[in-house]
Amino acid sequence: MKKNELVTEISHRLGCTKTEAAKSLNVINEIIVDKLKEEGEIYLGEMGKLKTVYKAERPGRNPSTGESVTIPARTNAKFITGAKLKEARN
């Protein structure tokens, strides 16, 4: 599902305009990013949770040239699926 399709579905279910639904979705995205930066974890109810994970520096390889490179350390977001979402997937 693309963002535009999600906005359309939100506006349909809430009975609001697509502009209002898009603004709401953008605000939710901003809140998620801010809270992950501040707290490192967000519980999303029965869907699961988002948490930040640290990935240490590690060796890698450029697939085009075969040259060895060092992949720098970074922080990523990881989604951990909740029980209800796991059941729905299967």
Side-chain angles (χ1 to χ4, degrees), residues 5-30:
E5 295 168 332
L6 181 58
V7 167
T8 301
E9 187 67 24
I10 291 169
S11 70
H12 175 72
R13 289 189 184 199
L14 293 179
C16 63
T17 67
K18 287 185 181 181
T19 303
E20 292 169 333
K23 284 181 184 179
S24 298
L25 186 58
N26 289 336
V27 168
I28 291 169
N29 287 337
E30 290 172 11

Side-chain angles (χ1 to χ4, degrees), residues 4-75:
N4 189 38
E5 295 168 332
L6 181 58
V7 167
T8 301
E9 187 67 24
I10 291 169
S11 70
H12 175 72
R13 289 189 184 199
L14 293 179
C16 63
T17 67
K18 287 185 181 181
T19 303
E20 292 169 333
K23 284 181 184 179
S24 298
L25 186 58
N26 289 336
V27 168
I28 291 169
N29 287 337
E30 290 172 11
I31 291 169
I32 288 172
V33 169
D34 291 344
K35 292 303 175 184
L36 275 176
K37 285 180 183 177
E38 291 172 16
E39 301 171 16
E41 187 172 291
I42 299 174
Y43 179 66
L44 300 171
E46 296 172 345
M47 278 190 355
K49 67 180 174 179
L50 277 168
K51 66 186 268 183
T52 55
V53 292
Y54 175 77
K55 291 193 170 198
E57 183 179 276
R58 64 188 195 276
R61 188 177 65 83
N62 182 332
S64 300
T65 64
E67 177 186 353
S68 293
V69 294
T70 301
I71 300 170
R74 62 182 180 206
T75 303

